[in-house]
Amino acid sequence: MTPPQRRTRLRPADLLRLGMIGPRTRRTRSALSALGISLGIAAVIAVTGISSSNQAHLLARLDQLGSNLITVSPGKDAEQRPVPLPATAEKMLSGIAPVQQVTATGATEAEVYRNDLVPKEQTGGLSVLAARPNLLDVLHATLRSGQWLDRASERLPVTVLGDQAAERLGVTAPGERVWLGGQSYVVRGILAPDDLAPELGTAALVGWPQAVAHLGADGTAGTVYLRAHPERVPDVQAVAGATANPAAPGMVAVSRPSDLLTARGEAKGALTGLVLSLAGVALLVGGVGIANTMVVGVMERRGEIGLRRALGARGGQIAAQFLLEAVLMGFIGGVGGLVVGALAVYGYAVAQGWPVSVPLYTVVAGPSVSVLVAAVAGIYPALRAAGASPTDALRSA
């Protein structure tokens, strides 16, 4: 009686060596196959990375322009009279958790003229405001010339003029003098136009201590400017009125987030959708390339398949060999594509002056997805190789 034959089993190390036969013996074809998936993954990394870098640049610009800026100012009562903010408003608003920066301007009783010979009624529509030293930082405003108020100059008779104020007063450069609050003030700087706070364009700004001591300011904030976390702007807006004036929250005017906030959200969603769409197309192309290469590989290696089947290899072992070859090519291509894509993102972002941003999920998902796509693409060729008849395969070879 013939003893029963034992079923042969391949150890993982043996299976790995078999899987490397194709890539090792057909280096050119394997390299081209890996290159196909590598280009697909590189395209995914490049598209996501460049889009993410562009998105980071765009969102930073939108935030800089004021999508996260909130203005809190006095509201009006039933008789349309302004209701001043409480003296604690600025401090209370700075205590809101998502608020990142707070600054303010305050009203004064002073007027500004070119000199003491100008009639008092010819104010030119200009105002004199007390200003905090961090006003420019919070508003992201800039100076056209000169210097801003600092801790040393905020107690001195110096002023910074808005661009329109300087034009109306005939001031062309820092160092000139204007008549402000009944005395001569030195112009320390001139502001550049600022779309976020156009009211500063027609103002003469002086230091807070100087305004309180000599210009009739009462020390309370007339307008408070807040910079909030971009994702928490609506939350801050909802509580700003009650925080600034708990006794009469309806008497506080809280600016609505700029239309830039809506543009920020739309830009983020549009770019994300574009990235996902292009990434899907690139992966599909890479998968089709691997499937095509593996099918051709099965047809060319029918003799090898027939010989292995004749020597006792089971169909599952043949399928595992070809499937492993596809996975190895996918992994190699995925890692190569990750490196190439990351370098492309870095070079392009640096050339454009953008922040370099390669999403972490693409770094992890790139090789993983390439292996998955390669495995799916290799299933049909592997099953076709496993189902080949030994005699037919040897005859066709």
mmCIF file with all atom_site columns, all heavy atoms in Angstrom, residues 62-77:
data_model
loop_
_atom_site.group_PDB
_atom_site.id
_atom_site.type_symbol
_atom_site.label_atom_id
_atom_site.label_alt_id
_atom_site.label_comp_id
_atom_site.label_asym_id
_atom_site.label_entity_id
_atom_site.label_seq_id
_atom_site.pdbx_PDB_ins_code
_atom_site.Cartn_x
_atom_site.Cartn_y
_atom_site.Cartn_z
_atom_site.occupancy
_atom_site.B_iso_or_equiv
_atom_site.pdbx_formal_charge
_atom_site.auth_seq_id
_atom_site.auth_comp_id
_atom_site.auth_asym_id
_atom_site.auth_atom_id
_atom_site.pdbx_PDB_model_num
ATOM 1   N N   . LEU A 1 62 ? -5.030  84.639  4.800  1.00 0.00 ? 62 LEU A N   1
ATOM 2   C CA  . LEU A 1 62 ? -6.381  85.035  5.191  1.00 0.00 ? 62 LEU A CA  1
ATOM 3   C C   . LEU A 1 62 ? -6.425  85.422  6.665  1.00 0.00 ? 62 LEU A C   1
ATOM 4   O O   . LEU A 1 62 ? -7.074  86.394  7.048  1.00 0.00 ? 62 LEU A O   1
ATOM 5   C CB  . LEU A 1 62 ? -7.367  83.904  4.904  1.00 0.00 ? 62 LEU A CB  1
ATOM 6   C CG  . LEU A 1 62 ? -7.651  83.619  3.427  1.00 0.00 ? 62 LEU A CG  1
ATOM 7   C CD1 . LEU A 1 62 ? -8.579  82.428  3.287  1.00 0.00 ? 62 LEU A CD1 1
ATOM 8   C CD2 . LEU A 1 62 ? -8.270  84.833  2.743  1.00 0.00 ? 62 LEU A CD2 1
ATOM 9   N N   . ASP A 1 63 ? -5.731  84.634  7.492  1.00 0.00 ? 63 ASP A N   1
ATOM 10  C CA  . ASP A 1 63 ? -5.688  84.963  8.914  1.00 0.00 ? 63 ASP A CA  1
ATOM 11  C C   . ASP A 1 63 ? -4.973  86.291  9.136  1.00 0.00 ? 63 ASP A C   1
ATOM 12  O O   . ASP A 1 63 ? -5.364  87.085  9.999  1.00 0.00 ? 63 ASP A O   1
ATOM 13  C CB  . ASP A 1 63 ? -4.971  83.858  9.697  1.00 0.00 ? 63 ASP A CB  1
ATOM 14  C CG  . ASP A 1 63 ? -5.787  82.576  9.759  1.00 0.00 ? 63 ASP A CG  1
ATOM 15  O OD1 . ASP A 1 63 ? -7.009  82.656  9.523  1.00 0.00 ? 63 ASP A OD1 1
ATOM 16  O OD2 . ASP A 1 63 ? -5.209  81.508  10.022 1.00 0.00 ? 63 ASP A OD2 1
ATOM 17  N N   . GLN A 1 64 ? -3.923  86.522  8.350  1.00 0.00 ? 64 GLN A N   1
ATOM 18  C CA  . GLN A 1 64 ? -3.190  87.774  8.480  1.00 0.00 ? 64 GLN A CA  1
ATOM 19  C C   . GLN A 1 64 ? -4.061  88.952  8.070  1.00 0.00 ? 64 GLN A C   1
ATOM 20  O O   . GLN A 1 64 ? -4.000  90.017  8.665  1.00 0.00 ? 64 GLN A O   1
ATOM 21  C CB  . GLN A 1 64 ? -1.927  87.730  7.628  1.00 0.00 ? 64 GLN A CB  1
ATOM 22  C CG  . GLN A 1 64 ? -1.042  88.966  7.782  1.00 0.00 ? 64 GLN A CG  1
ATOM 23  C CD  . GLN A 1 64 ? 0.215   88.887  6.952  1.00 0.00 ? 64 GLN A CD  1
ATOM 24  O OE1 . GLN A 1 64 ? 0.318   88.060  6.061  1.00 0.00 ? 64 GLN A OE1 1
ATOM 25  N NE2 . GLN A 1 64 ? 1.174   89.737  7.236  1.00 0.00 ? 64 GLN A NE2 1
ATOM 26  N N   . LEU A 1 65 ? -4.890  88.738  7.049  1.00 0.00 ? 65 LEU A N   1
ATOM 27  C CA  . LEU A 1 65 ? -5.761  89.816  6.595  1.00 0.00 ? 65 LEU A CA  1
ATOM 28  C C   . LEU A 1 65 ? -6.908  90.077  7.564  1.00 0.00 ? 65 LEU A C   1
ATOM 29  O O   . LEU A 1 65 ? -7.508  91.137  7.537  1.00 0.00 ? 65 LEU A O   1
ATOM 30  C CB  . LEU A 1 65 ? -6.323  89.476  5.209  1.00 0.00 ? 65 LEU A CB  1
ATOM 31  C CG  . LEU A 1 65 ? -5.312  89.518  4.066  1.00 0.00 ? 65 LEU A CG  1
ATOM 32  C CD1 . LEU A 1 65 ? -5.943  89.029  2.780  1.00 0.00 ? 65 LEU A CD1 1
ATOM 33  C CD2 . LEU A 1 65 ? -4.762  90.917  3.896  1.00 0.00 ? 65 LEU A CD2 1
ATOM 34  N N   . GLY A 1 66 ? -7.229  89.096  8.414  1.00 0.00 ? 66 GLY A N   1
ATOM 35  C CA  . GLY A 1 66 ? -8.228  89.415  9.423  1.00 0.00 ? 66 GLY A CA  1
ATOM 36  C C   . GLY A 1 66 ? -9.392  88.473  9.539  1.00 0.00 ? 66 GLY A C   1
ATOM 37  O O   . GLY A 1 66 ? -10.425 88.849  10.075 1.00 0.00 ? 66 GLY A O   1
ATOM 38  N N   . SER A 1 67 ? -9.297  87.260  9.051  1.00 0.00 ? 67 SER A N   1
ATOM 39  C CA  . SER A 1 67 ? -10.419 86.346  9.189  1.00 0.00 ? 67 SER A CA  1
ATOM 40  C C   . SER A 1 67 ? -10.652 85.967  10.646 1.00 0.00 ? 67 SER A C   1
ATOM 41  O O   . SER A 1 67 ? -11.726 85.508  11.000 1.00 0.00 ? 67 SER A O   1
ATOM 42  C CB  . SER A 1 67 ? -10.182 85.080  8.351  1.00 0.00 ? 67 SER A CB  1
ATOM 43  O OG  . SER A 1 67 ? -9.094  84.343  8.862  1.00 0.00 ? 67 SER A OG  1
ATOM 44  N N   . ASN A 1 68 ? -9.657  86.151  11.510 1.00 0.00 ? 68 ASN A N   1
ATOM 45  C CA  . ASN A 1 68 ? -9.834  85.832  12.929 1.00 0.00 ? 68 ASN A CA  1
ATOM 46  C C   . ASN A 1 68 ? -9.822  87.084  13.791 1.00 0.00 ? 68 ASN A C   1
ATOM 47  O O   . ASN A 1 68 ? -9.557  87.029  14.986 1.00 0.00 ? 68 ASN A O   1
ATOM 48  C CB  . ASN A 1 68 ? -8.749  84.854  13.401 1.00 0.00 ? 68 ASN A CB  1
ATOM 49  C CG  . ASN A 1 68 ? -7.354  85.456  13.340 1.00 0.00 ? 68 ASN A CG  1
ATOM 50  O OD1 . ASN A 1 68 ? -7.104  86.375  12.561 1.00 0.00 ? 68 ASN A OD1 1
ATOM 51  N ND2 . ASN A 1 68 ? -6.449  84.946  14.148 1.00 0.00 ? 68 ASN A ND2 1
ATOM 52  N N   . LEU A 1 69 ? -10.096 88.225  13.172 1.00 0.00 ? 69 LEU A N   1
ATOM 53  C CA  . LEU A 1 69 ? -10.141 89.487  13.897 1.00 0.00 ? 69 LEU A CA  1
ATOM 54  C C   . LEU A 1 69 ? -11.573 89.834  14.271 1.00 0.00 ? 69 LEU A C   1
ATOM 55  O O   . LEU A 1 69 ? -12.477 89.781  13.431 1.00 0.00 ? 69 LEU A O   1
ATOM 56  C CB  . LEU A 1 69 ? -9.532  90.613  13.061 1.00 0.00 ? 69 LEU A CB  1
ATOM 57  C CG  . LEU A 1 69 ? -9.522  91.993  13.727 1.00 0.00 ? 69 LEU A CG  1
ATOM 58  C CD1 . LEU A 1 69 ? -8.531  92.017  14.881 1.00 0.00 ? 69 LEU A CD1 1
ATOM 59  C CD2 . LEU A 1 69 ? -9.178  93.078  12.707 1.00 0.00 ? 69 LEU A CD2 1
ATOM 60  N N   . ILE A 1 70 ? -11.799 90.183  15.537 1.00 0.00 ? 70 ILE A N   1
ATOM 61  C CA  . ILE A 1 70 ? -13.115 90.600  16.027 1.00 0.00 ? 70 ILE A CA  1
ATOM 62  C C   . ILE A 1 70 ? -12.966 91.980  16.648 1.00 0.00 ? 70 ILE A C   1
ATOM 63  O O   . ILE A 1 70 ? -12.007 92.241  17.380 1.00 0.00 ? 70 ILE A O   1
ATOM 64  C CB  . ILE A 1 70 ? -13.667 89.608  17.063 1.00 0.00 ? 70 ILE A CB  1
ATOM 65  C CG1 . ILE A 1 70 ? -13.886 88.240  16.415 1.00 0.00 ? 70 ILE A CG1 1
ATOM 66  C CG2 . ILE A 1 70 ? -14.968 90.113  17.665 1.00 0.00 ? 70 ILE A CG2 1
ATOM 67  C CD1 . ILE A 1 70 ? -14.352 87.176  17.384 1.00 0.00 ? 70 ILE A CD1 1
ATOM 68  N N   . THR A 1 71 ? -13.897 92.854  16.355 1.00 0.00 ? 71 THR A N   1
ATOM 69  C CA  . THR A 1 71 ? -13.894 94.202  16.910 1.00 0.00 ? 71 THR A CA  1
ATOM 70  C C   . THR A 1 71 ? -15.066 94.359  17.860 1.00 0.00 ? 71 THR A C   1
ATOM 71  O O   . THR A 1 71 ? -16.216 94.050  17.505 1.00 0.00 ? 71 THR A O   1
ATOM 72  C CB  . THR A 1 71 ? -13.991 95.254  15.788 1.00 0.00 ? 71 THR A CB  1
ATOM 73  O OG1 . THR A 1 71 ? -12.913 95.069  14.875 1.00 0.00 ? 71 THR A OG1 1
ATOM 74  C CG2 . THR A 1 71 ? -13.939 96.653  16.355 1.00 0.00 ? 71 THR A CG2 1
ATOM 75  N N   . VAL A 1 72 ? -14.783 94.833  19.056 1.00 0.00 ? 72 VAL A N   1
ATOM 76  C CA  . VAL A 1 72 ? -15.805 95.090  20.073 1.00 0.00 ? 72 VAL A CA  1
ATOM 77  C C   . VAL A 1 72 ? -15.821 96.589  20.340 1.00 0.00 ? 72 VAL A C   1
ATOM 78  O O   . VAL A 1 72 ? -14.789 97.171  20.708 1.00 0.00 ? 72 VAL A O   1
ATOM 79  C CB  . VAL A 1 72 ? -15.516 94.306  21.369 1.00 0.00 ? 72 VAL A CB  1
ATOM 80  C CG1 . VAL A 1 72 ? -16.576 94.598  22.419 1.00 0.00 ? 72 VAL A CG1 1
ATOM 81  C CG2 . VAL A 1 72 ? -15.443 92.812  21.081 1.00 0.00 ? 72 VAL A CG2 1
ATOM 82  N N   . SER A 1 73 ? -16.963 97.201  20.166 1.00 0.00 ? 73 SER A N   1
ATOM 83  C CA  . SER A 1 73 ? -17.078 98.649  20.328 1.00 0.00 ? 73 SER A CA  1
ATOM 84  C C   . SER A 1 73 ? -18.404 98.996  20.998 1.00 0.00 ? 73 SER A C   1
ATOM 85  O O   . SER A 1 73 ? -19.294 98.145  21.119 1.00 0.00 ? 73 SER A O   1
ATOM 86  C CB  . SER A 1 73 ? -16.970 99.340  18.956 1.00 0.00 ? 73 SER A CB  1
ATOM 87  O OG  . SER A 1 73 ? -17.955 98.832  18.081 1.00 0.00 ? 73 SER A OG  1
ATOM 88  N N   . PRO A 1 74 ? -18.573 100.242 21.453 1.00 0.00 ? 74 PRO A N   1
ATOM 89  C CA  . PRO A 1 74 ? -19.824 100.630 22.116 1.00 0.00 ? 74 PRO A CA  1
ATOM 90  C C   . PRO A 1 74 ? -21.023 100.482 21.188 1.00 0.00 ? 74 PRO A C   1
ATOM 91  O O   . PRO A 1 74 ? -20.967 100.840 20.013 1.00 0.00 ? 74 PRO A O   1
ATOM 92  C CB  . PRO A 1 74 ? -19.586 102.097 22.492 1.00 0.00 ? 74 PRO A CB  1
ATOM 93  C CG  . PRO A 1 74 ? -18.102 102.232 22.556 1.00 0.00 ? 74 PRO A CG  1
ATOM 94  C CD  . PRO A 1 74 ? -17.572 101.310 21.504 1.00 0.00 ? 74 PRO A CD  1
ATOM 95  N N   . GLY A 1 75 ? -22.096 99.942  21.741 1.00 0.00 ? 75 GLY A N   1
ATOM 96  C CA  . GLY A 1 75 ? -23.351 99.883  21.001 1.00 0.00 ? 75 GLY A CA  1
ATOM 97  C C   . GLY A 1 75 ? -24.177 101.137 21.259 1.00 0.00 ? 75 GLY A C   1
ATOM 98  O O   . GLY A 1 75 ? -23.681 102.127 21.800 1.00 0.00 ? 75 GLY A O   1
ATOM 99  N N   . LYS A 1 76 ? -25.428 101.085 20.865 1.00 0.00 ? 76 LYS A N   1
ATOM 100 C CA  . LYS A 1 76 ? -26.314 102.242 21.034 1.00 0.00 ? 76 LYS A CA  1
ATOM 101 C C   . LYS A 1 76 ? -27.564 101.837 21.792 1.00 0.00 ? 76 LYS A C   1
ATOM 102 O O   . LYS A 1 76 ? -28.053 100.717 21.657 1.00 0.00 ? 76 LYS A O   1
ATOM 103 C CB  . LYS A 1 76 ? -26.679 102.836 19.671 1.00 0.00 ? 76 LYS A CB  1
ATOM 104 C CG  . LYS A 1 76 ? -25.486 103.420 18.924 1.00 0.00 ? 76 LYS A CG  1
ATOM 105 C CD  . LYS A 1 76 ? -25.907 104.036 17.611 1.00 0.00 ? 76 LYS A CD  1
ATOM 106 C CE  . LYS A 1 76 ? -24.693 104.638 16.881 1.00 0.00 ? 76 LYS A CE  1
ATOM 107 N NZ  . LYS A 1 76 ? -25.086 105.250 15.583 1.00 0.00 ? 76 LYS A NZ  1
ATOM 108 N N   . ASP A 1 77 ? -28.077 102.779 22.581 1.00 0.00 ? 77 ASP A N   1
ATOM 109 C CA  . ASP A 1 77 ? -29.296 102.515 23.335 1.00 0.00 ? 77 ASP A CA  1
ATOM 110 C C   . ASP A 1 77 ? -30.516 102.804 22.483 1.00 0.00 ? 77 ASP A C   1
ATOM 111 O O   . ASP A 1 77 ? -30.404 103.030 21.262 1.00 0.00 ? 77 ASP A O   1
ATOM 112 C CB  . ASP A 1 77 ? -29.301 103.327 24.633 1.00 0.00 ? 77 ASP A CB  1
ATOM 113 C CG  . ASP A 1 77 ? -29.210 104.833 24.383 1.00 0.00 ? 77 ASP A CG  1
ATOM 114 O OD1 . ASP A 1 77 ? -29.432 105.259 23.220 1.00 0.00 ? 77 ASP A OD1 1
ATOM 115 O OD2 . ASP A 1 77 ? -28.904 105.571 25.330 1.00 0.00 ? 77 ASP A OD2 1
#
